[in-house]
Amino acid sequence: MNDQAAHRADVRIDLAAIRHNVGTLSDRARRSGARTMAVLKSDGYGHGASAVASAALRSGAEWLGVASIAEALQLRADGVEAPVLCWLYLREDDIAAAVSAGVDLSVSSSRELNAVVEAVGAVGGPARIHLKIDTGLHRNGALPEDWGRLVEEAAKAEADGSVEVFAVWSHLACADEPGHPSIDMQAQRFRLAHQQAVDAGLRPLRHLANSAALLTRPDLHFDMVRPGIALYGLDPVPQAGAHDLRPAMTFRSTVVLTKRIQAGEAVSYGHVWVAPAETNLALVPVGYADGVPRSLSGRMSVWLRGKRRPVVGKVCMDQLVVCCDDDEVEEGDEVVLFGPGDDGEPTVAEWAREVGTIHYEIVTGMYRPRVSRTLVAEEAA
Ligand SMILES: *Cc1c(COP(=O)(O)O)cnc(C)c1O
């Protein structure tokens, strides 16, 4: 915790940790001959997409992946020139703007292919596309029964010079459950779909693996891997051994008020917690509007003055109360709500377990108007 400025609510992003994680992950990919696409959707899983992009591109990633065209164009506006793949857009979105900005587009249907070809007609091309096959997740991607037609049409559009089919790709449903039978089933359908594209005269690369498959299935790295969560130091497959990842996000606040209450006095809405003895309390100005789930009321602790201390009573919209027993705490003391865990502070993984969700939802949920973000580039001392 090297920078001492007081924060109401701040997420500190350790870019050195992200560089370390990208280095580790892209090394693994390179060993199977695959490049790395850093997935930055939802503002870099709440870490700041452009800052993560430059850290990732300096550490072994060559590609970037986002969900929406707006996210892709924001990277371009921030000066990011690396290849960017965008995979989810509406009919109404500005596909022409994406094509002119040199953004690669995923194509899941003839309708999407036509929309891209039309945009190329308006702004010039070719547009680079990645044809998506639905191998069993059943979100986007073309179903196998529609694939033959899609690759034929794409081959025609490529021959016309309106598109370049760069890759065939798909996404796994259960990669975070190593050994799940759907993984091999999806991989089999994926190989078949790629072969059909080759038979149609295309020469696409292949990409399939998310973080979990990158870490556990080197045989599925193909030509490129697409890690998201692991870039941020959160392990999607902790059951599969240690993966040398460093969590990059620390959520912290500052004590704004202290007081001592008598035994028998209660704290916060509903008076659900009653002090068993005379007790020092610290008030911390963050609440459920700042990303602290209210469901953690009575089940969370914070790191304050060198130890974990329980949050008592209900978590409110803007504040929570920490029980400090007889220990001295002062206004201005730093409070760590979660961090990498190196000093003993709570972690994102612990929050996710307590809330009954996945760490993805906790970190992406930290992108909030009242929560500032501090980027730290240097290696911690
Ligand atoms: C989010 C996403 C990824 C990254 O998944 P992680 O589990 O975070 O590694 C990869 N590919 C697609 C299509 C995605 O939507």
Side-chain angles (χ1 to χ4, degrees):
M1 315 303 141
N2 39 13
D3 51 330
Q4 292 304 316
H7 294 283
R8 201 191 76 82
D10 182 69
V11 289
R12 195 185 46 167
I13 307 303
D14 179 356
L15 294 170
I18 290 176
R19 291 200 302 271
H20 165 84
N21 299 330
V22 175
T24 300
L25 295 164
S26 59
D27 278 351
R28 278 177 185 262
R30 209 169 295 115
R31 267 178 257 138
S32 352
R35 355 178 171 176
T36 298
M37 174 186 292
V39 177
L40 306 175
K41 61 199 184 194
S42 192
D43 203 25
Y45 291 41
H47 294 67
S50 290
V52 173
S54 36
L57 293 168
R58 283 171 53 195
S59 320
E62 295 167 63
W63 277 76
L64 305 171
V66 294
S68 72
I69 288 180
E71 290 173 323
L73 295 179
Q74 186 59 53
L75 289 171
R76 288 285 182 260
D78 291 342
V80 176
E81 290 171 3
V84 177
L85 172 63
C86 164
W87 53 72
L88 200 57
Y89 44 92
L90 308 183
R91 204 186 278 267
E92 292 75 15
D93 280 340
D94 196 346
I95 298 172
V99 173
S100 350
V103 171
D104 287 45
L105 292 162
S106 173
V107 167
S108 290
S109 65
S110 301
R111 211 267 304 148
E112 284 185 356
L113 180 64
N114 291 336
V116 172
V117 168
E118 207 172 289
V120 166
V123 297
R128 209 157 55 171
I129 63 172
H130 300 226
L131 294 176
K132 189 161 196 189
I133 172 76
D134 180 355
T135 52
L137 179 60
H138 297 333
R139 298 193 317 195
N140 55 16
L143 286 169
E145 53 265 41
D146 301 323
W147 183 249
R149 196 177 114 206
L150 181 60
V151 294
E152 291 298 338
E153 289 172 358
K156 271 203 208 82
E158 187 169 85
D160 289 349
S162 26
V163 302
E164 178 197 334
V165 179
F166 185 80
V168 164
W169 76 303
S170 191
H171 193 42
L172 296 168
C174 307
D176 58 348
E177 297 174 55
H180 194 286
S182 68
I183 302 170
D184 287 330
M185 184 267 292
Q186 287 194 264
Q188 189 46 35
R189 291 177 178 174
F190 182 63
R191 290 191 181 92
L192 206 66
H194 177 258
Q195 188 55 50
Q196 278 178 273
V198 169
D199 293 345
L202 299 168
R203 288 291 171 269
L205 301 185
R206 299 155 298 168
H207 53 96
L208 177 67
N210 57 4
S211 297
L214 162 56
L215 291 168
T216 61
R217 292 293 301 262
D219 59 315
L220 301 184
H221 288 178
F222 295 107
D223 303 303
M224 185 150 69
V225 294
R226 302 189 311 270
I229 196 74
L231 306 174
Y232 309 99
L234 302 173
D235 193 338
V237 277
Q239 71 275 34
H243 295 121
D244 189 22
L245 299 171
R246 294 195 210 149
M249 184 185 284
T250 298
F251 181 21
R252 59 205 178 133
S253 182
T254 305
V255 174
V256 283
L257 186 70
T258 62
K259 64 184 54 169
R260 188 165 176 83
I261 60 165
Q262 299 302 313
E265 292 291 323
V267 170
S268 193
Y269 290 128
H271 273 184
V272 294
W273 185 82
V274 180
E278 208 180 319
T279 288
N280 290 334
L281 299 178
L283 181 66
V284 182
V286 289
Y288 58 78
D290 307 296
V292 185
R294 187 169 178 275
S295 61
L296 286 181
S297 297
R299 301 194 291 139
M300 68 179 286
S301 55
V302 298
W303 187 256
L304 169 55
R305 284 250 175 152
K307 67 186 219 191
R308 279 197 190 209
R309 302 173 191 276
V311 171
V312 291
K314 293 288 185 200
V315 171
C316 308
M317 186 185 297
D318 318 301
Q319 38 195 312
L320 53 80
V321 176
V322 181
C323 174
C324 302
D325 302 318
D326 286 326
D327 295 348
E328 274 301 305
V329 287
E330 285 175 17
E331 284 179 23
D333 283 349
E334 183 183 76
V335 177
V336 176
L337 290 107
F338 62 70
D342 299 337
D343 295 328
E345 73 275 17
T347 62
V348 176
E350 281 179 54
W351 274 34
R353 205 176 315 121
E354 280 299 326
V355 173
T357 184
I358 51 178
H359 36 29
Y360 299 68
E361 186 177 356
I362 303 291
V363 288
T364 55
M366 295 311 302
Y367 182 53
R368 287 170 194 262
R370 297 201 307 199
V371 180
S372 61
R373 189 187 282 143
T374 303
L375 302 172
V376 180
E378 316 81 48
E379 208 72 51

